[in-house]
């Protein structure tokens, strides 16, 4: 990133302060966060950058490096922008901050994202969290960190209109280098679990299928709706607040009374929550040999029970393991997007080549392969 760009756009770069928040890869715990379950993501060393400085012109002036566009607005025209979708995340965060703290002074802002968009690495959560944390710090609003994650999620739900859970905004806020974050999305308690894969001779590799199936947005909200439907039926018989509250006995009961596909959706959520806790526990106790099985079971459950994978994701997981990956599964919302892989460093170059070739032979286009490091959560730079 060329910091002098700020000077070119805003005449000088005096008094700007800069912030950055990371993207994420979820190791396990998929489609559990909006059922108040458990997730285990890591934050990655690809960031969204947000620079700001208060101005005295009574309007917000925002420049996006990625889109090479300057956009100006004031409090009277903070509305959903169809033509420039990139401004909505920022406007959504400002809206949520105003609800909490009242109007903040207008500012100039420079935005730059290096997290690939649409790859399932949570570029939008990183954007929201960088902006929320930056505004909070710059104007000393004293919003606590958990609220930063929560208001960023609300910006996405209420303003951008994507009904995501809390995982992505939470890990962008609280992530830590060489660490996986076990998050209880009900209580928002969390635990840092050492995840030093390089010491294990492994690399963290994300493979972007480069497909986004048209069903993606719709598929995600359908899954949320199905969960709510299942919960409604179960609550006629059981005293539970969410699918997360199911225990062995009540889960067995659910499998008897729910119609398909609600039965399968609930089975995924119930077992996936168990897998997250088992994975976290084995990670803590250095039982790495058990991790690949949890990840594969998670993938198969997302394929067969939750039905959010696709041909490209299934193919990549199968080939990743066939060519020698230690572990592999889809990560993120699914219907396209990416897989996460733990790959032995001694085979990585050859492994990447083989994956690329076989994927291109099969689908006629290349996947994008990223070898990633873990990183800390949001901070000032
Ligand atoms: C998307 C959402 C998250 C989570 C995952 C699936 O990334 O933003 O909240 O629901 O899908 O695990």
């Amino acid at each position: 990133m060329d910091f002098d760009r700020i000077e070119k756009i805003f005449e000088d770069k005096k008094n700007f302060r800069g912030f950055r928040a990371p993207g994420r890869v979820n190791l396990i715990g998929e489609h559990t966060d909006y059922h108040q379950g458990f997730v285990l993501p890591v934050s990655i060393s690809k960031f969204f950058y947000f620079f700001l400085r208060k101005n005295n012109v009574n309007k917000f002036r925002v420049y996006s490096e990625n889109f090479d566009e300057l956009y100006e607005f004031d409090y009277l025209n903070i509305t959903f922008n169809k033509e420039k979708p990139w401004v909505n995340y920022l406007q959504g965060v400002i809206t949520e901050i105003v609800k909490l703290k009242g109007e903040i002074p207008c500012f100039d802002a420079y935005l730059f994202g290096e997290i690939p968009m649409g790859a399932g690495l949570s570029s939008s959560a990183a954007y929201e969290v960088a902006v929320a944390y930056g505004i909070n710090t710059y104007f000393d609003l004293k919003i606590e960190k958990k609220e930063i994650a929560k208001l960023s999620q609300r910006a996405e739900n209420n303003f951008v209109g994507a009904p995501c859970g809390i995982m992505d905004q939470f890990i962008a806020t609280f992530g830590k280098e060489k660490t996986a974050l076990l998050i209880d999305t009900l209580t928002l308690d969390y635990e840092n679990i050492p995840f030093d894969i390089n010491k294990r001779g492994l690399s963290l590799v994300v493979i972007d299928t480069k497909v986004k199936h048209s069903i993606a947005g719709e598929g995600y909200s359908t899954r949320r709706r199905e969960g709510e439907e299942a919960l409604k039926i179960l609550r006629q018989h059981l005293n539970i607040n969410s699918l997360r509250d199911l225990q062995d006995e009540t889960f067995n009961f659910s499998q008897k009374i729910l119609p398909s596909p609600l039965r399968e959706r609930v089975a995924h959520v119930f077992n996936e929550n168990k897998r997250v806790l088992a994975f976290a526990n084995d990670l803590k106790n250095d039982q790495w040999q058990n991790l690949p099985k949890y990840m594969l079971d998670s993938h198969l459950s997302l394929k067969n029970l939750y039905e959010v994978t696709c041909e490209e994701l299934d193919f990549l997981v199968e080939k990743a393991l066939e060519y020698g990956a230690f572990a592999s599964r889809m990560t993120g919302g699914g219907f396209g997007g990416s897989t996460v892989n733990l790959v032995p460093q001694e085979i990585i170059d050859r492994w990447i080549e083989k994956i690329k070739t076989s994927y291109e032979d099969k689908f006629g286009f290349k996947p994008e392969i990223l070898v990633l490091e873990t990183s800390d959560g949001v901070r000032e730079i």
Side-chain angles (χ1 to χ4, degrees), residues 101-231:
K101 293 283 170 183
E103 282 191 9
I104 48 168
C106 290
F107 56 76
D108 296 333
Y110 172 89
L111 311 173
F112 174 69
E114 63 182 12
I115 306 163
M117 287 177 251
L121 298 177
S122 287
S123 55
S124 49
Y127 178 177
E128 289 146 3
V129 168
V131 169
Y133 184 88
I135 293 175
N136 181 49
T137 308
Y138 190 97
F139 294 111
D140 194 21
L141 302 179
K142 302 195 165 50
I143 302 172
E144 56 163 274
K145 257 180 134 183
K146 275 189 188 164
E147 191 55 41
I148 294 289
K150 281 159 66 178
L151 82 87
S152 298
Q153 182 202 11
R154 290 199 298 274
E156 177 113 15
N157 293 165
N158 301 338
F159 201 93
V160 179
C164 64
I166 187 73
M167 167 167 70
D168 305 343
Q169 290 79 7
F170 203 89
I171 179 72
T173 310
F174 288 98
K176 215 169 158 262
E177 204 187 348
K178 298 189 193 334
T179 300
L181 198 65
L182 174 63
I183 309 167
D184 178 335
T185 66
L186 173 63
T187 60
L188 294 189
D189 290 336
Y190 61 94
E191 189 181 341
N192 287 310
I193 302 181
F195 183 68
D196 193 349
I197 52 166
N198 294 338
K199 229 167 85 186
R200 294 261 157 189
L202 296 170
S203 291
L204 180 66
V205 185
V206 161
I207 311 180
D208 180 358
T209 58
K210 286 296 199 185
V211 295
K212 185 108 201 126
H213 289 281
S214 54
I215 184 184
E218 180 200 319
Y220 189 88
S221 41
T222 306
R223 293 299 173 276
R224 285 202 72 141
R225 241 192 348 267
E226 288 166 343
E228 281 155 24
E229 239 177 273
L231 186 61

Side-chain angles (χ1 to χ4, degrees), residues 244-263:
R244 175 294 183 39
D245 293 334
L246 290 171
Q247 304 290 331
D248 288 340
E249 204 176 302
T250 44
F251 168 66
N252 289 336
F253 173 76
S254 81
Q255 296 301 287
K256 285 189 197 115
I257 68 156
L258 288 174
S260 190
L262 304 187
R263 181 169 57 234

